[in-house]
Each structure stands twice: as structure tokens, then as C-alpha cells.
Amino acid sequence: MFPWFWTVSTSFKKPSELFIFPPLWIPESLRISNYAEVFATVPFARWYLNSTIVVLLTTLGVLASATLVSYSFARFRWPGRDIVFAITLGTMMLPSEIMLSRRSHRRELPK
């Protein structure tokens, strides 16, 4: 909870209070204008809407595909089903960071 508390506490501070040592845990005066400044400076509402759209579409896509695939594994017998199921389970057990790091180490061939 400490990082969350520190972030919220710092969001209400004046710029002069940000780098004081020892740090102020609770601001001397709450500065609500920081939030108004953020919404006026950057399109935060649009970023929030974009994130919401991506999350909803991703969730719907995962639910639809997982339902179809799991039904196929549970109800139908087809050649290679056990092998495909083992591969599916194996890829689900790998953390996503492994797949990302593999892609980032590819080198481009010189032209």
C-alpha cells in the first residue's frame, strides 16, 4: 500500500514540496489544481477511453476463442488432439516476458 499512498500523497503536493529532505508524507496543503492541470495539459480522458476499449475488446476476444477451443478439446476426438493440447498447455505455462525477450533479440540482416 505504501507506493499507492506515496503516489496519491505526492499528487497533491506543491512543486516545492516534491524534493524536500526528509520527505513530507502528507502535504502541508492539498493542491487539487494539480489534477485540473493534468486534464488541461494532456488528453488523459482519451487515453483512458483508449485503454478501456483495448481491455474490453481483448477480454471479449479471449473469452470467445477460449470458449471455442476448450469446447473442442473437451467434446471432440480428432487426430493430434492430445499433442495440440499439450502444446497449448505448454505455451500457457510460459510467462509472457519470455516470448517478448525472444522477439527483442532478433537481429536484422544487413541489406
Side-chain angles (χ1 to χ4, degrees):
M1 292 298 295
F2 176 75
W4 180 82
F5 171 76
W6 181 255
T7 302
V8 171
S9 171
T10 303
S11 72
F12 289 109
K13 293 179 182 177
K14 294 185 281 189
S16 60
E17 296 176 333
L18 293 177
F19 301 108
I20 292 177
F21 186 80
L24 292 173
W25 300 108
I26 299 174
E28 293 174 358
S29 63
L30 294 181
R31 204 170 152 200
I32 308 278
S33 61
N34 290 345
Y35 286 93
E37 186 176 336
V38 166
F39 280 100
T41 306
V42 296
F44 187 77
R46 182 64 191 177
W47 294 347
Y48 188 80
L49 178 65
N50 289 347
S51 296
T52 303
I53 290 170
V54 168
V55 165
L56 289 175
L57 291 177
T58 302
T59 302
L60 289 174
V62 167
L63 280 174
S65 65
T67 302
L68 294 173
V69 170
S70 62
Y71 186 80
S72 171
F73 282 138
R75 296 291 180 188
F76 301 123
R77 301 280 180 224
W78 39 275
R81 180 184 74 108
D82 294 337
I83 294 171
V84 173
F85 185 67
I87 292 170
T88 303
L89 282 180
T91 58
M92 289 172 61
M93 291 178 199
L94 291 175
S96 58
E97 291 80 8
I98 290 176
M99 301 306 288
L100 289 174
S101 66
R102 180 172 178 196
R103 289 185 196 127
S104 65
H105 291 301
R106 287 186 184 164
R107 294 186 182 164
E108 299 227 1
L109 295 175
K111 295 181 180 181

